[in-house]
Amino acid sequence: GNSVTQMEGPVTLSEEAFLTINCTYTATGYPSLFWYVQYPGEGLQLLLKATKADDKGSNKGFEATYRKETTSFHLEKGSVQVSDSAVYFCALSSTGANNLFFGTGTRLTVIP
Amino acid sequence: NAGVTQTPKFRILKIGQSMTLQCTQDMNHNYMYWYRQDPGMGLKLIYYSVGAGITDKGEVPNGYNVSRSTTEDFPLRLELAAPSQTSVYFCASSYSGGSGSETYEQYFGPGTRLTVT
């Protein structure tokens, strides 16, 4: 079946620190992979995505590379800001399907 | 363009009561979804719809019903509320071209926080 395992949180970093949030997946076929972000009091927003192996998704300084050999899609950012404080969800969508399977979410707090 | 809107934002129900969570999108998306988010957990799919008049169950459909009479609206009905349905509910929508090979972004509403006591 389809599942996503995400790094446990919460994560607290100082401003300008390097961020990594780990995500691994199990899926049938060739899934698409996503990172969604949820800011306080809001719904989820798509942060980035990758639809095939070795693709790199990037947005707002965040990056993630689709690694088929390690079934991973780790989120990275070189220098976090206070405004990046949010909950980050890794998700997958299996081939031909539209529904998403989510990880449990990782809460990131960035302190000045 | 409002995107996906949900009402109400908050609701407290007594056990056994019923209610409908409203969801509307103005992006002419054909697919719509209902998820629930329990504390410390990811979102789980309750029901989804691929177009007006067509609905299907997700991972956790028990205790819920949906209908899709128009492209824009996808209400979620709780008939006999139970404490296990205390959660945050998110509606989402997306567009699919129908080829089966495209994966389009899902747009989420702000959520409804429901407490059943």
Side-chain angles (χ1 to χ4, degrees):
Chain A
N2 298 309
S3 68
V4 175
T5 301
Q6 196 175 329
M7 175 177 166
E8 294 287 327
V11 174
T12 302
L13 294 173
S14 297
E15 207 164 21
E16 299 183 3
F18 183 84
L19 169 71
T20 300
I21 301 178
N22 290 338
C23 172
T24 57
Y25 68 89
T26 302
T28 53
Y30 302 96
S32 294
L33 302 173
F34 306 82
W35 278 99
Y36 277 81
V37 58
Q38 184 180 26
Y39 298 104
E42 298 184 12
L44 280 71
Q45 303 172 25
L46 180 66
L47 180 60
L48 54 85
K49 71 177 184 182
T51 57
K52 61 183 188 297
D54 299 325
D55 266 4
K56 177 186 281 188
S58 61
N59 186 25
K60 300 182 182 180
F62 291 89
E63 293 183 340
T65 301
Y66 188 147
R67 301 280 188 209
K68 195 172 190 323
E69 63 276 13
T70 55
T71 62
S72 65
F73 193 55
H74 305 320
L75 182 69
E76 297 182 337
K77 187 174 185 183
S79 175
V80 294
Q81 306 300 312
V82 172
S83 57
D84 294 327
S85 298
V87 181
Y88 292 82
F89 291 92
C90 186
L92 73 82
S93 176
S94 59
T95 307
N98 261 261
N99 55 297
L100 293 168
F101 294 87
F102 285 88
T104 54
T106 301
R107 181 177 299 278
L108 170 67
T109 303
V110 181
I111 55 177
Chain B
N1 215 351
V4 180
T5 57
Q6 293 182 237
T7 56
K9 288 193 183 334
F10 305 94
R11 183 74 186 267
I12 298 174
L13 282 183
K14 294 191 186 306
I15 294 171
Q17 287 185 320
S18 61
M19 77 164 294
T20 299
L21 282 66
Q22 301 291 346
C23 174
T24 300
Q25 54 92 9
D26 62 0
M27 297 173 282
N28 203 32
H29 286 167
N30 48 353
Y31 281 62
M32 295 187 75
Y33 314 81
W34 275 105
Y35 294 90
R36 59 178 287 173
Q37 182 183 25
D38 297 329
M41 305 290 287
L43 281 69
K44 292 196 181 299
L45 184 66
I46 305 172
Y47 270 95
Y48 68 101
S49 167
V50 302
I54 306 169
T55 63
D56 209 347
K57 296 177 180 178
E59 285 182 82
V60 289
N62 291 343
Y64 307 94
N65 278 300
V66 294
S67 59
R68 184 95 181 272
S69 56
T70 66
T71 299
E72 295 78 20
D73 300 308
F74 190 42
L76 178 72
R77 178 92 179 150
L78 284 70
E79 290 293 350
L80 290 169
S84 60
Q85 293 177 305
T86 294
S87 190
V88 181
Y89 291 84
F90 288 101
C91 180
S93 70
S94 68
Y95 173 75
S96 172
S99 67
S101 61
E102 295 283 353
T103 302
Y104 295 91
E105 175 182 355
Q106 290 190 19
Y107 292 79
F108 284 79
T112 295
R113 185 175 295 276
L114 175 68
T115 302
V116 182
T117 61

